[in-house]
Amino acid sequence: CGGSISDSSGVLQSPNYPGSYPNDADCVWEIQVENNFRVTLTFRDIAMQSGTCQHDYIEVYDGPLHSSPLLGRFCSGSFPTYVSSSNMMSVRFHSDSRYSFRGFQAHYSSIPAGHNTTIQCLPDYMHVVVSRDYLRSQGYSAQGVTLNDGHCRPTVTSQEVVFNIPYNGCGTVQEENNDTINYSNTIRVASSGYIIKRKKNVNLHISCKMLRKSWQQVMYAAEDTVDVNEYQFGRYDMNITFYDSPAFLQQVRSSPYYIDLNQNLYLQACLRSSDPNLKVVVDTCVASPDPRDFNTLAYYLVRNGCPRDSSYATYQSPSSHFARFKFNAFEFMSQHPSVYLKCQMLVCRLGDFSSHCYQGCGTRAKRDTSSAEEKVDVVVGPLQLREGGAPSENTG
């Protein structure tokens, strides 16, 4: 149960609904809609063990589960509606080992955020758009909109003031804490009154908070009557590509990728980000004949940084944004017409030797269940055995 949801609307319900939900369930749904939209969630049915909500309960969070405010926790009563302050909301359902009931059903949909100022945290820069109609309505002009670094000018159109603010320039400040790496800057909107100043200057504080798994975007106005408060979430831009040799010069562009049994397969994961101080490593790679199910029939090549297949090996990479590795086509492939790989990549701060990226597989395995925010999933494939192909002698 649970999972990531990106549809603009849909239905959430407890496992087996309207039948009795199972004991000891712990399901988390992450609903992520388009940028500059919000999530609205309305419960239509709730039938659970009532009382203090210590045993069975539903929790709704205003963003990712581990780093966002709790909007509500309940197990009975009226049917509430919640609206996120961002394009992301998380719903958690928990049951204990005792009684079981019908559970819940809820409907979610996306609604426009309705702001005149928008922000997107893209892989290389923060993209901020301020409406000129909005500025005029508040008594400001487009010419009064600047960054701290005066060399970085916006693009002014007939409708908008547009900033593309790099993560490693234009005065952007980087900070880090236990859960996030934060990039922040300030857009200043100055009053145009030279002799009589009737309005305060506005500071729009722009912030992209990089969770290990997603980007959180924050904007707010300080010391002003106009309250702009914007949160957005996105995903890392990560891809994995097959190469034809350990030199990693020629990509394999065919799909499906036809291979021989025991053939060496070379892969490179690449993180697209303008921040040079990030490091990528392979955490887990698992093979499956079904690209939507990596649990029923699964073969692990590496798990929590520990190789599970004797042919798995890593290579030196030209940059901390790349992770290179190889394995041999294995017997699992001869039993299924197509095989897919799902690899979980860890993204950490370069030089942060306390992070998972620098720890051995033994210490990382102990924290397998608590590091969901630190992983990026990429699915590649299909791989198919070449018709009539003999086992390859390529074992280099």
Side-chain angles (χ1 to χ4, degrees):
C1 60
S4 297
I5 299 170
S6 57
D7 297 333
S8 60
S9 63
V11 175
L12 297 186
Q13 55 193 30
S14 50
N16 303 329
Y17 181 90
S20 297
Y21 52 76
N23 290 330
D24 299 315
D26 201 53
C27 314
V28 177
W29 293 268
E30 283 188 346
I31 307 168
Q32 181 180 333
V33 296
E34 289 184 58
N35 278 339
N36 303 305
F37 279 72
R38 298 185 181 191
V39 183
T40 176
L41 178 73
T42 301
F43 285 83
R44 295 173 167 174
D45 184 23
I46 303 171
M48 301 168 62
Q49 184 178 356
S50 59
T52 59
C53 299
Q54 295 297 310
H55 306 289
D56 300 352
Y57 53 83
I58 303 164
E59 292 177 331
V60 181
Y61 290 86
D62 192 11
L65 180 70
H66 299 293
S67 59
S68 302
L70 177 66
L71 296 177
R73 174 175 174 157
F74 52 92
C75 55
S76 61
S78 60
F79 299 160
T81 294
Y82 297 97
V83 180
S84 66
S85 62
S86 70
N87 65 329
M88 191 172 183
M89 176 186 284
S90 297
V91 180
R92 180 188 182 200
F93 168 72
H94 176 82
S95 66
D96 67 1
S97 57
R98 301 173 69 191
Y99 308 108
S100 185
F101 297 85
R102 186 171 67 246
F104 77 91
Q105 185 182 70
H107 180 267
Y108 73 89
S109 59
S110 62
I111 56 174
H115 281 313
N116 294 300
T117 306
T118 60
I119 176 173
Q120 288 180 281
C121 291
L122 301 175
D124 297 320
Y125 55 87
M126 297 181 266
H127 180 71
V128 184
V129 178
V130 184
S131 162
R132 292 190 67 178
D133 285 342
Y134 165 71
L135 290 172
R136 279 192 289 266
S137 71
Q138 303 299 322
Y140 301 100
S141 72
Q143 284 66 42
V145 183
T146 60
L147 278 178
N148 276 343
D149 185 340
H151 295 98
C152 298
R153 302 293 301 168
T155 300
V156 180
T157 70
S158 60
Q159 303 289 325
E160 300 167 335
V161 179
V162 181
F163 283 94
N164 290 325
I165 308 170
Y167 295 120
N168 59 344
C170 289
T172 299
V173 177
Q174 300 181 20
E175 300 175 294
E176 57 182 297
N177 59 32
N178 291 337
D179 300 317
T180 60
I181 301 168
N182 304 336
Y183 304 88
S184 58
N185 209 314
T186 302
I187 295 175
R188 302 191 182 280
V189 185
S191 171
S192 57
Y194 294 104
I195 301 173
I196 301 174
K197 184 175 178 181
R198 299 188 182 279
K199 284 185 171 290
K200 295 179 181 178
N201 293 340
V202 180
N203 291 338
L204 295 176
H205 298 278
I206 314 294
S207 188
C208 286
K209 296 187 177 180
M210 191 193 79
L211 295 165
R212 306 303 186 190
K213 185 179 169 185
S214 63
W215 292 89
Q216 173 191 1
Q217 305 170 29
V218 183
M219 182 189 296
Y220 62 94
E223 296 185 13
D224 182 64
T225 55
V226 183
D227 179 27
V228 181
N229 192 351
E230 191 69 41
Y231 300 83
Q232 301 294 328
F233 294 85
R235 300 288 184 190
Y236 261 131
D237 190 354
M238 178 94 71
N239 64 46
I240 293 181
T241 309
F242 286 100
Y243 281 78
D244 65 354
S245 79
F248 290 94
L249 297 176
Q250 189 69 39
Q251 290 186 17
V252 175
R253 300 190 181 278
S254 59
S255 183
Y257 179 18
Y258 290 99
I259 56 175
D260 296 319
L261 210 58
N262 290 328
Q263 175 182 336
N264 272 341
L265 305 178
Y266 306 96
L267 297 93
Q268 175 176 274
C270 173
L271 168 68
R272 184 173 162 235
S273 171
S274 64
D275 184 354
N277 297 310
L278 298 177
K279 179 178 176 64
V280 175
V281 299
V282 183
D283 182 74
T284 297
C285 270
V286 57
S288 168
D290 185 345
R292 297 168 302 276
D293 179 3
F294 286 88
N295 294 312
T296 306
L297 286 172
Y299 179 82
Y300 282 89
L301 298 167
V302 55
R303 191 170 191 177
N304 302 313
C306 302
R308 294 293 187 88
D309 182 276
S310 59
S311 69
Y312 175 85
T314 58
Y315 291 89
Q316 284 289 107
S317 299
S319 158
S320 62
H321 283 196
F322 296 95
R324 292 175 168 179
F325 56 103
K326 55 83 75 168
F327 64 92
N328 294 354
F330 40 88
E331 190 66 28
F332 184 81
M333 290 181 179
S334 67
Q335 302 166 25
H336 305 281
S338 297
V339 171
Y340 296 81
L341 291 181
K342 180 171 80 168
C343 294
Q344 287 187 329
M345 312 302 298
L346 286 183
V347 181
C348 307
R349 203 77 180 137
L350 190 63
D352 177 8
F353 296 101
S354 65
S355 71
H356 289 160
C357 291
Y358 291 92
Q359 294 174 7
C361 71
T363 53
R364 221 188 291 166
K366 295 174 185 174
R367 299 188 55 187
D368 183 37
T369 58
S370 63
S371 53
E373 302 87 48
E374 302 178 1
K375 296 176 181 175
V376 184
D377 285 354
V378 186
V379 176
V380 290
L383 298 169
Q384 294 185 0
L385 283 179
R386 189 176 285 116
E387 288 291 331
S392 171
E393 296 302 318
N394 176 10
T395 58

